Amino acid sequence: MKIRELKIYGYGQFINRHIVLHNAPASLFYGQNEAGKSTIMSFIHSILFGLPQKQQTDSKYEPKEGQVFGGAIVAEVSGTGIVKIERVRGRSGGEARIDLPDGQTAGEALLREWTGGMDKAFFQSVFSFDLHGLQQIERLNEEEIGKFLYVTSMVGTDAIYKLEQRLGKEQDRLFKPNGKKPALNEKLGKVKKTADAVKAAAQAASEYHPLMMQKEEAEREVFQLELNVSEGRKKQSYLSRAVSYLPLLREQEALTQELEALPDTKCFPAEGMNRLEKLLTEMEPLKAQTGRMKEQIRQLMAKAEAFKPDGNILEKEAHIVELKEQSGTYQALINDRSALTSAIEALDEELAVLAGRVYEQPPRQEELSRIDTTIKMKTTIAELTEEAKTLFMQKNQLDEQFDRAKEALDISEIRYASLLEKAMNPDERTALEQELSNLEKGDNHQQTGQLKKELESVERDLENQRKRSENSKKRSSASLMFVLLIAAAGCIWSVIQQQWVLGGLLFTGLAAGVLFFRSLQTARDPLLEHLRRRKRDLEQELQEQTNPSTTVLQRLEELKGILWKDEQIKQMAELERLRTEQETRTCDRVIAKYEEWENERFKLNHKLKPVLKALFLPETASASSLAETLAIIEKYKEKELEKQKREDQNRLNVTDALQFEQKAASTLNLTRDDLPKKIDDLYSALIQEKEKARKLEDLDLRINELSAECEERLLLLNSKTEDYRKLLEMAAAPGEETFRSMAVQHGKREEIIKQLSWTARQLQTSHIAQALPEDWTKLEDDLARVTLDVEALEKQLKSRQEQVSILQAKLEALEADGSYSDHLHRHELQKEDARRTAREWVVQTVARDFLLRTIDYHRTVRMPKLLEKTIQFFTRITDGRYVNVYLPDQEQTFIAERADGQRFKAGELSQATSEQLYLSLRLALISSLNESLNMPVLIDDGFVHFDAKRTEKMLGILQDISAEQQVLMFTCQTHIANQFAGPVTALERQGIVSVRKETV
């Protein structure tokens, strides 16, 4: 079985969900906690093996809001095909409904056949496993781990391991051969002690045994009387049941007498009354139908008289149809004639426009038609046009070259003039050279004295201005502080009086005053600053004058630089003069090329003259427009040709129209005026006459059909009438009333026969009724006699029972007199209690022995093959680190052999390796069961402790297993989802939201 689709109507958090697995052999469901992985796994269990009941733990998956609890699985079953297994709460107690490929349905029995008769617990223990098995390993010690893995190899879970442990503990709790504390050991000791006490007490009771013998004899008589009463009651019961059949026998006798009193109706036909009613029911409609048909035939024949067609029009049908078919062509000719006339006029106008685009005074049409528009003329014009275009481009290039040369010449002349202006005149250069000569000879003492006097004057002015500035600041500060104090007092008063507007204005003025006061303190006097700068400049200049060597050297360098710069300007001016002469020569060369261009232009005009003459163009026409002119002329000639064609077509249309008019006149005597309308009217009349003829033909056909049908109805009516006569004849009835009376008698007779048949069946179903004697009327007397005998036996039984009670009372009195009764009673109670405990111990012992025999059978028969498969899986998961797994003799555990030869018991392996051995055993068990049960494998987070390498190996094993049976995995581990090679269905807490690798 392979699951293809999950249709969840309502299960847990999923409502109306549809999950498609397609044909993938292995699929993985990935999602976080509470995403619904365990819900889907439980859903598969519930659909295959039954929905959980209210008291079961899985009932938590029932929808909380009243939706339908259940769903369906679409699966592929070997030998059957695609089936749908549906199970919902409330329908047939939640039983499965299976829709088969052939459209039939099946139920729970077929599903159990497919699942091999297993229940949910067995499926979960073998084919469906999760973290529970791994967590069991974590909770066990070293000795218990091996035994747990061993019993897991049997049915996939630790159920046998737990059962064997529980049976052993329960067996030891009840009895041990040499024990004292077990329950059965204690009870056997107590029984031995009370037995000794009973023997001692019995010796003291001498009268007890005779009474006991009398009591036993009385009890035997009571037993025999009880047997006799029982036999009497059985006979009484038999006779009572036999008497209960007497009413049936009496009724059978009465029905037989009544049947003999009725007349014999054996000749009455079977179902005679029904056949009579049926014939009468069929004959009445036939009579009515034949009458209606005769009336319809009469009406149709009267209507046919009104549809006789006009024979003259029908005789000319061929001519009318021919003219009708050609009338469209005739109308088109008339329309084309008008259209052609308009087109010819439009072409005349277009020809005039084309001629006007080329000529001011167009030549005659014949001359234009003779203009040469051959390829030779087009080639000549193309060459002339190309040559004119070349000359035009040369002219543009010459203009550009001349403009560039002229521009360069103007720039050069401007630069030359500018350099001449920048250069010194001879007098100025002579003065600088003289100053340079003087500085090289001595210094200037008079200039130093003037600088000192100016410095003293600036110092006096600076001191006076500083004093005036300080006095002005003091006066302004005092006035401003007085105003600020008044404003502050006004602010305080406004706050006290709650004059907020006035207070806000005063506070704003106070803040502005403070800012102005700060700016006044930091303000500088511009005149004072100017005097300070002038003092610094004079001091620096005086210092330079007092050091004549430095100042003279600086002046000397300055004069030399000015003279050198002037010399450079003169050299640059000379270079610009030479460049101006070069640009002048360039302009001369461009002017010479202009003369060559004029010569080429003259030659081109000479070639143009014959072409212009051939095209009837003036000599002033431009060569560049010749191609366009020739194209217009060529188009003119095309339009002229088109005009001639339309004129020829117009003449042909006139001829065809005239022929059509002559034909209409000769065949139908129709004139030219409004000829198409006349033909249409005549064709409409033809259609009407043909319609009359068709209707007349339909009426004749309908009359014939009704006549034939009427004949059939008459024949059928005659046949039914004959059947009616034969039916009366069969019953030997002269008329219908007699027939009906006989039918009533026959019905009574049939009813009595049915009742007799029912009575006979009731009597035949009972062996008592069949065994009754022929003289069954004496059964009631026999029953009365047996009843009296039973009552007498019951009285004797009661008397003997009273005697037994008296003897029992005497024995009890004797037992009450001594300790014998107490000891005996206590002894019997302890014996019974010991027997119960012994039976319980025997049950536990037999169950444990059977379980151990089953485990031993599994060890000797199934384990070798299972162990071989386990070694393959375990070696592959551990990547060859472990190469073998052994099962020691007389031990319920496993030994794993590593590749280096070291061996470890199952309890000595690491946690993850123990889990890998556990999974290898489970997969080997699944592989062995797959030979008979091909069920899907469900794994929920079985690799949480595996490293990346062994996880990859495990996924590879599952991919190989999926080739033979389907594997469905559930995980919340992202790395497992990324490594999985098959389709992965991603889940979130609200349902399915996305799919990776393949649409699911």
Side-chain angles (χ1 to χ4, degrees):
M1 178 184 293
K2 294 184 179 180
I3 298 174
R4 295 287 176 254
E5 299 179 31
L6 302 177
K7 298 181 179 180
I8 305 176
Y9 305 155
Y11 201 91
Q13 63 175 307
F14 295 111
I15 305 296
N16 294 328
R17 294 290 180 180
H18 185 195
I19 305 174
V20 181
L21 301 179
H22 294 296
N23 198 21
S27 301
L28 185 139
F29 292 84
Y30 165 72
Q32 300 174 350
N33 296 334
E34 298 185 2
K37 303 184 298 299
S38 299
T39 303
I40 293 177
M41 195 169 178
S42 176
F43 172 76
I44 295 173
H45 295 161
S46 299
I47 297 301
L48 293 179
F49 300 101
L51 295 172
Q53 301 301 319
K54 295 287 186 180
Q55 64 274 15
Q56 295 178 344
T57 56
D58 284 349
S59 62
K60 64 183 180 180
Y61 292 115
E62 187 168 358
K64 306 299 183 183
E65 298 180 359
Q67 292 87 352
V68 176
F69 182 31
I73 289 177
V74 178
E76 181 180 354
V77 179
S78 178
T80 303
I82 303 298
V83 300
K84 177 183 176 183
I85 305 171
E86 183 181 38
R87 197 187 294 269
V88 295
R89 169 70 58 79
R91 186 180 66 191
S92 299
E95 289 191 358
R97 170 191 169 94
I98 303 175
D99 293 337
L100 300 174
D102 58 1
Q104 297 183 2
T105 60
E108 199 76 36
L110 182 59
L111 182 58
R112 283 197 299 271
E113 180 182 342
W114 288 344
T115 57
M118 73 175 75
D119 57 2
K120 182 187 292 188
F122 184 81
F123 179 81
Q124 290 175 331
S125 65
V126 177
F127 296 96
S128 175
F129 51 94
D130 51 16
L131 279 175
H132 175 71
L134 305 180
Q135 292 170 351
Q136 287 292 104
I137 297 176
E138 296 177 6
R139 292 194 289 265
L140 300 177
N141 55 35
E142 292 184 0
E143 295 180 358
E144 293 174 332
I145 286 176
K147 195 169 186 180
F148 171 81
L149 293 176
Y150 176 77
V151 297
T152 297
S153 66
M154 296 182 64
V155 293
T157 65
D158 60 344
I160 293 180
Y161 170 67
K162 291 180 178 179
L163 178 60
E164 193 268 337
Q165 278 190 331
R166 184 169 61 82
L167 291 174
K169 291 179 180 179
E170 189 66 20
Q171 188 179 3
D172 293 339
R173 182 185 67 80
L174 294 174
F175 178 74
K176 288 184 179 179
N178 298 321
K180 293 183 179 181
K181 293 184 178 181
L184 185 57
N185 294 73
E186 292 179 353
K187 292 176 181 179
L188 289 175
K190 293 179 180 179
V191 168
K192 186 175 182 303
K193 291 179 182 179
T194 55
D196 295 339
V198 168
K199 288 180 181 179
Q203 293 176 357
S206 59
E207 299 180 359
Y208 185 80
H209 289 289
L211 290 175
M212 179 63 71
M213 295 297 291
Q214 294 178 14
K215 176 190 172 187
E216 290 177 355
E217 181 64 26
E219 286 178 346
R220 283 194 293 273
E221 292 180 2
V222 167
F223 178 73
Q224 185 62 42
L225 288 172
E226 286 178 347
L227 290 177
N228 293 335
V229 170
S230 176
E231 289 296 329
R233 286 177 178 173
K234 287 181 181 179
K235 190 173 182 180
Q236 183 184 16
S237 175
Y238 169 77
L239 291 173
S240 296
R241 283 183 289 172
V243 169
S244 66
Y245 287 102
L246 293 179
L248 288 176
L249 294 171
R250 294 190 180 103
E251 183 181 1
Q252 185 180 31
E253 185 178 6
L255 290 172
T256 304
Q257 294 175 358
E258 187 178 355
L259 182 64
E260 292 174 354
L262 290 173
D264 186 13
T265 58
K266 293 180 180 179
C267 62
F268 192 82
E271 298 292 329
M273 197 63 199
N274 293 335
R275 290 164 64 182
L276 178 65
E277 294 293 342
K278 183 179 179 182
L279 286 173
L280 292 175
T281 304
E282 292 174 349
M283 288 167 61
E284 290 299 326
L286 288 174
K287 292 177 181 179
Q289 288 174 4
T290 53
R292 286 197 301 271
M293 288 179 181
K294 290 178 180 179
E295 179 63 22
Q296 288 179 1
I297 292 171
R298 187 188 62 77
Q299 293 176 358
L300 290 174
M301 293 180 69
K303 188 184 295 184
E305 293 295 327
F307 287 104
K308 289 186 178 180
D310 187 351
N312 294 328
I313 295 178
L314 293 177
E315 289 176 358
K316 298 179 180 180
E317 178 181 358
H319 298 295
I320 295 173
V321 172
E322 182 182 4
L323 289 176
K324 174 61 179 176
E325 291 174 351
Q326 295 177 359
S327 64
T329 305
Y330 173 74
Q331 187 64 42
L333 291 173
I334 300 301
N335 296 334
D336 286 349
R337 185 165 60 185
S338 173
L340 287 171
T341 303
S342 301
I344 292 170
E345 293 175 356
L347 287 171
D348 288 336
E349 294 177 359
E350 193 171 353
L351 289 171
V353 171
L354 291 173
R357 288 175 60 188
V358 178
Y359 306 103
E360 293 181 2
Q361 293 294 330
R364 296 189 306 276
Q365 184 174 347
E366 295 78 4
E367 293 176 346
L368 287 174
S369 301
R370 290 197 304 271
I371 292 177
D372 185 9
T373 57
T374 60
I375 296 176
K376 180 179 179 182
M377 176 59 75
K378 291 180 181 179
T379 304
T380 302
I381 290 175
E383 291 174 353
L384 292 175
T385 303
E386 186 65 27
E387 189 174 350
K389 187 185 296 184
T390 302
L391 290 175
F392 179 75
M393 292 174 61
Q394 290 177 355
K395 176 65 167 52
N396 290 338
Q397 291 176 358
L398 290 174
D399 291 341
E400 291 177 0
Q401 292 177 3
F402 181 76
D403 292 340
R404 287 196 298 271
K406 186 67 172 63
E407 182 179 2
L409 178 61
D410 294 341
I411 292 172
S412 181
E413 290 176 348
I414 292 171
R415 287 178 179 173
Y416 179 69
S418 175
L419 290 171
L420 289 180
E421 291 177 359
K422 292 179 180 179
M424 296 182 184
N425 55 43
D427 295 338
E428 186 178 359
R429 183 175 178 83
T430 303
L432 291 175
E433 291 175 349
Q434 184 63 39
E435 183 181 356
L436 178 62
S437 178
N438 293 334
L439 289 174
E440 290 176 350
K441 294 179 180 180
D443 51 48
N444 193 352
H445 297 286
Q446 183 177 1
Q447 187 176 5
T448 303
Q450 293 177 354
L451 290 173
K452 289 181 178 180
K453 290 180 181 179
E454 186 176 356
L455 179 59
E456 291 174 356
S457 175
V458 168
E459 288 177 347
R460 286 194 300 273
D461 293 340
L462 179 61
E463 182 65 24
N464 294 333
Q465 182 62 28
R466 185 178 60 77
K467 292 178 180 180
R468 286 195 296 272
S469 178
E470 289 178 355
N471 293 332
S472 175
K473 281 184 179 181
K474 289 179 180 179
R475 290 193 299 271
S476 300
S477 298
S479 301
L480 186 58
M481 284 297 294
F482 178 73
V483 173
L484 291 176
L485 289 173
I486 294 173
C491 286
I492 295 170
W493 179 83
S494 299
V495 172
I496 295 172
Q497 297 296 324
Q498 296 184 352
Q499 298 292 330
W500 305 114
V501 178
L502 178 61
L505 294 173
L506 291 174
F507 181 76
T508 303
L510 180 62
V514 171
L515 293 174
F516 179 73
F517 179 75
R518 291 184 63 187
S519 64
L520 183 64
Q521 294 296 323
T522 58
R524 297 182 178 180
D525 189 355
L527 180 58
L528 188 62
E529 292 295 322
H530 171 72
L531 291 174
R532 288 173 180 167
R533 286 195 299 272
R534 181 58 182 164
K535 177 184 176 183
R536 286 195 299 269
D537 293 341
L538 289 174
E539 289 174 348
Q540 184 178 0
E541 190 174 353
L542 182 60
Q543 184 179 1
E544 293 175 354
Q545 289 293 334
T546 56
N547 189 6
S549 60
T550 303
T551 305
V552 170
L553 289 174
Q554 290 178 352
R555 182 59 180 169
L556 285 174
E557 291 298 327
E558 183 181 357
L559 290 174
K560 289 179 181 180
I562 292 172
L563 292 174
W564 178 82
K565 184 176 182 181
D566 181 63
E567 183 65 25
Q568 292 295 321
I569 290 172
K570 286 183 178 180
Q571 291 178 5
M572 292 173 64
E574 181 63 21
L575 289 174
E576 285 298 329
R577 185 183 65 77
L578 295 175
R579 187 177 289 110
T580 301
E581 293 177 356
Q582 182 180 357
E583 296 297 336
T584 301
R585 289 193 294 273
T586 301
C587 289
D588 294 340
R589 285 196 297 272
V590 173
I591 291 171
K593 289 182 180 180
Y594 267 117
E595 293 175 355
E596 294 177 2
W597 182 84
E598 288 293 340
N599 292 332
E600 293 295 329
R601 177 62 185 272
F602 177 77
K603 292 178 182 179
L604 177 62
N605 290 336
H606 182 70
K607 294 178 182 179
L608 278 173
K609 285 182 180 180
V611 176
L612 295 174
K613 184 177 180 182
L615 298 178
F616 300 100
L617 295 173
E619 295 182 357
T620 58
S622 173
S624 60
S625 63
L626 285 178
E628 183 181 1
T629 301
L630 185 63
I632 293 172
I633 293 172
E634 189 174 10
K635 187 175 182 181
Y636 181 90
K637 294 173 70 176
E638 291 175 356
K639 295 295 181 182
E640 179 63 27
L641 181 61
E642 183 180 356
K643 176 186 174 183
Q644 291 177 1
K645 290 181 179 179
R646 290 183 182 276
E647 289 177 346
D648 295 341
Q649 182 66 35
N650 193 21
R651 286 192 294 272
L652 184 61
N653 289 349
V654 171
T655 303
D656 293 341
L658 184 59
Q659 291 178 355
F660 181 82
E661 292 168 358
Q662 291 174 354
K663 184 187 291 186
S666 62
T667 57
L668 300 176
N669 297 324
L670 298 178
T671 60
R672 178 181 178 184
D673 297 336
D674 205 4
L675 183 58
K677 185 177 183 306
K678 294 177 180 178
I679 293 174
D680 289 342
D681 294 341
L682 195 58
Y683 184 76
S684 297
L686 174 63
I687 295 298
Q688 291 177 359
E689 296 303 321
K690 289 178 67 177
E691 181 65 20
K692 288 182 180 180
R694 185 190 64 78
K695 288 182 178 180
L696 182 60
E697 185 178 353
D698 291 345
L699 288 173
D700 291 340
L701 180 61
R702 179 60 179 160
I703 290 170
N704 294 333
E705 290 176 351
L706 284 174
S707 298
E709 187 175 358
C710 185
E711 290 294 331
E712 291 178 0
R713 298 293 181 187
L714 287 173
L715 290 174
L716 183 59
L717 179 60
N718 295 333
S719 174
K720 297 296 179 182
T721 304
E722 180 64 19
D723 292 341
Y724 173 79
R725 185 188 64 77
K726 290 181 179 179
L727 186 63
L728 295 180
E729 185 178 345
M730 287 172 61
E736 184 178 339
E737 292 298 327
T738 306
F739 185 89
R740 290 182 181 275
S741 176
M742 292 178 67
V744 172
Q745 298 296 330
H746 182 72
K748 290 181 180 180
R749 196 176 172 82
E750 290 293 324
E751 184 65 26
I752 292 173
I753 292 173
K754 287 181 181 178
Q755 292 180 6
L756 285 172
S757 177
W758 179 84
T759 303
R761 284 197 302 271
Q762 294 297 317
L763 293 173
Q764 289 173 0
T765 56
S766 173
H767 63 279
I768 296 175
Q770 293 178 0
L772 289 176
E774 295 182 0
D775 190 10
W776 46 264
T777 55
K778 298 179 180 180
L779 287 175
E780 291 177 343
D781 296 337
D782 294 341
L783 177 61
R785 180 176 52 77
V786 170
T787 302
L788 292 174
D789 293 342
V790 170
E791 289 176 355
L793 289 172
E794 287 177 347
K795 290 179 181 179
Q796 292 179 12
L797 176 62
K798 185 177 180 182
S799 174
R800 293 294 183 270
Q801 286 176 344
E802 290 175 353
Q803 184 181 358
V804 169
S805 299
I806 293 171
L807 292 173
Q808 179 66 32
K810 291 179 180 181
L811 289 172
E812 290 176 356
L814 290 174
E815 291 172 355
D817 291 339
S819 61
Y820 177 77
S821 61
D822 294 336
H823 290 298
L824 181 61
H825 180 68
R826 190 179 303 111
H827 176 66
E828 293 296 330
L829 289 176
Q830 289 178 357
K831 281 173 63 178
E832 184 62 29
D833 189 19
R835 288 192 191 98
R836 287 197 298 268
T837 306
R839 284 195 294 269
E840 186 178 353
W841 177 80
V842 169
V843 170
Q844 301 290 341
T845 303
V846 172
R848 187 167 184 241
D849 181 68
F850 178 76
L851 182 62
L852 292 175
R853 289 176 183 271
T854 303
I855 293 173
D856 185 62
Y857 172 79
H858 171 72
R859 179 190 187 95
T860 57
V861 178
R862 295 180 58 195
M863 182 55 74
K865 184 177 180 181
L866 189 67
L867 198 60
E868 181 181 353
K869 200 69 176 178
T870 302
I871 293 170
Q872 295 178 7
F873 290 142
F874 190 52
T875 303
R876 185 173 173 184
I877 293 174
T878 58
D879 198 18
R881 182 173 176 83
Y882 291 88
V883 296
N884 211 339
V885 178
Y886 299 101
L887 182 64
D889 294 335
Q890 304 303 321
E891 293 186 34
Q892 294 183 3
T893 185
F894 290 101
I895 294 177
E897 181 180 356
R898 209 162 59 186
D900 57 2
Q902 294 191 31
R903 297 183 179 182
F904 302 89
K905 290 186 177 180
E908 297 173 345
L909 298 173
S910 67
Q911 175 67 33
T913 307
S914 299
E915 293 176 3
Q916 289 151 15
L917 181 56
Y918 167 76
L919 286 175
S920 300
L921 289 166
R922 289 292 297 270
L923 294 177
L925 180 61
I926 290 171
S927 298
S928 65
L929 291 176
N930 186 43
E931 298 174 359
S932 58
L933 298 174
N934 193 348
M935 298 295 291
V937 181
L938 279 62
I939 304 175
D940 186 5
D941 268 335
F943 325 129
V944 291
H945 295 142
F946 289 19
D947 57 28
K949 184 68 174 178
R950 294 191 178 182
T951 300
E952 182 181 356
K953 294 292 184 182
M954 189 67 215
L955 292 176
I957 290 174
L958 293 177
Q959 287 292 337
D960 294 344
I961 292 175
S962 66
E964 298 181 359
Q965 61 190 120
Q966 187 180 31
V967 177
L968 300 180
M969 293 178 57
F970 303 83
T971 184
C972 62
Q973 307 296 322
T974 305
H975 67 280
I976 293 178
N978 293 333
Q979 292 179 358
F980 190 70
V984 177
T985 301
L987 305 174
E988 284 192 357
R989 290 184 178 90
Q990 297 302 320
I992 300 174
V993 296
S994 62
V995 176
R996 173 177 69 79
K997 299 184 182 178
E998 180 178 342
T999 303
V1000 179

